[in-house]
Amino acid sequence: MNPQVAQAVPEKAANRLLLLPYALPYLTYVAIASLLGGRVSAEVSYLLRLVCVPIALAWGWKWYSGVRGPRSPWGSAGVGAAWGVAGA
């Protein structure tokens, strides 16, 4: 986010600005599946989702927070996997 915009916008409003970059890939997937589901074949629907969702992800990439936590990437992935197994 532009630092000048971040200073001018309160924290809650700044979080609202992230809604579209995070929701767009999911909404794209669901919209293609539901709106075109009966009009095109399953193969065409999958192909459209395979093309359009990565485009939406690439568009929003600059707003996504990193996967890295306070540890190294391997440490963060290990802790995440451990919590995933513990929660399952």
Side-chain angles (χ1 to χ4, degrees):
M1 183 185 300
N2 184 345
Q4 294 172 344
V5 172
Q7 290 175 351
V9 178
E11 188 64 30
K12 289 183 182 179
N15 287 339
R16 277 185 256 139
L17 294 175
L18 296 174
L19 181 62
L20 185 61
Y22 277 87
L24 186 64
Y26 171 75
L27 295 174
T28 301
Y29 185 90
V30 171
I32 291 171
S34 58
L35 297 177
L36 299 179
R39 297 183 182 154
V40 297
S41 67
E43 293 82 6
V44 172
S45 177
Y46 291 140
L47 181 63
L48 282 171
R49 287 184 265 174
L50 185 65
V51 170
C52 294
V53 170
I55 290 171
L57 285 168
W59 172 79
W61 194 260
K62 60 186 166 203
W63 290 289
Y64 300 148
S65 58
V67 177
R68 205 176 155 151
R71 296 175 177 83
S72 71
W74 286 105
S76 294
V79 170
W83 279 106
V85 170

